[in-house]
Amino acid sequence: MIVFHLARADNGVIGRDGQLPWHLPADLKRFKAGTMGKPMVMGRKTFESFPSPLPGRRHIVLTRDRDWSAAGAEVAHDPEAALALAGGGEVAVIGGAEVFALFLPQADRIELTEVHAAPEGDAVVPAFEGWREVAREEFPAEGERPGYSFVTLVR
């Protein structure tokens, strides 16, 4: 089972200069809970955006660079190899935009944080068309923090 985990602004932005363009502690907590103990598939830039590998999870890094390696990363050069490394069970796909696009046809569920803002950004994911919403929790804006929704989508 392939599950996407991402936060996406209303304008499609998911990142700026290798970082999240917002700070939502509840989203980070949800991400941790949803990915703990699972193999995570990500692109090289996503992996390199972490200060160090995230505890309790495998980091399967998809890259075209045949010479790339990093401590804590299991390297794959195509989606099939990444899934083979992950083995059976649930696989968390965590980005970035190119990796989401590669796995979209095979994805089973999307754990989405809709960030109700329109920040500038250089990583964009289009809206998920043809998915059915099965859960939603709304959270209002607070001070500098934008409002957001936790949404679960299935095929």
Side-chain angles (χ1 to χ4, degrees), residues 108-128:
D108 298 291
R109 191 172 84 233
I110 300 171
E111 293 298 341
L112 176 65
T113 298
E114 293 176 346
V115 181
H116 304 306
E120 294 287 312
D122 52 21
V124 176
V125 169
F128 295 104

Side-chain angles (χ1 to χ4, degrees), residues 60-127:
I60 299 170
V61 179
L62 203 49
T63 177
R64 292 184 213 64
D65 183 347
R66 298 272 169 193
D67 298 323
W68 186 86
S69 68
E74 298 173 54
V75 180
H77 300 294
D78 60 60
E80 296 71 30
L83 291 177
L85 268 175
E90 190 175 308
V91 179
V93 173
I94 66 165
E98 285 181 58
V99 173
F100 288 129
L102 278 174
F103 283 95
L104 187 60
Q106 299 161 274
D108 298 291
R109 191 172 84 233
I110 300 171
E111 293 298 341
L112 176 65
T113 298
E114 293 176 346
V115 181
H116 304 306
E120 294 287 312
D122 52 21
V124 176
V125 169

Side-chain angles (χ1 to χ4, degrees), residues 6-8 30 110-114 128 149-153:
L6 75 153
R8 178 185 176 279
R30 180 181 195 234
I110 300 171
E111 293 298 341
L112 176 65
T113 298
E114 293 176 346
F128 295 104
S149 307
F150 290 158
V151 182
T152 300
L153 304 170

Side-chain angles (χ1 to χ4, degrees), residues 12-73:
V13 167
I14 65 165
R16 179 177 57 228
D17 301 326
Q19 301 297 316
L20 296 173
W22 48 74
H23 180 66
L24 296 173
D27 173 57
L28 299 175
K29 211 168 139 182
R30 180 181 195 234
F31 174 86
K32 182 178 181 179
T35 59
M36 187 56 72
K38 299 184 177 88
M40 298 186 306
V41 174
M42 69 204 77
R44 176 190 53 79
K45 289 184 263 187
T46 297
F47 179 82
E48 290 175 348
S49 75
F50 300 144
S52 61
L54 304 176
R57 291 153 275 192
R58 289 172 57 208
H59 296 66
I60 299 170
V61 179
L62 203 49
T63 177
R64 292 184 213 64
D65 183 347
R66 298 272 169 193
D67 298 323
W68 186 86
S69 68

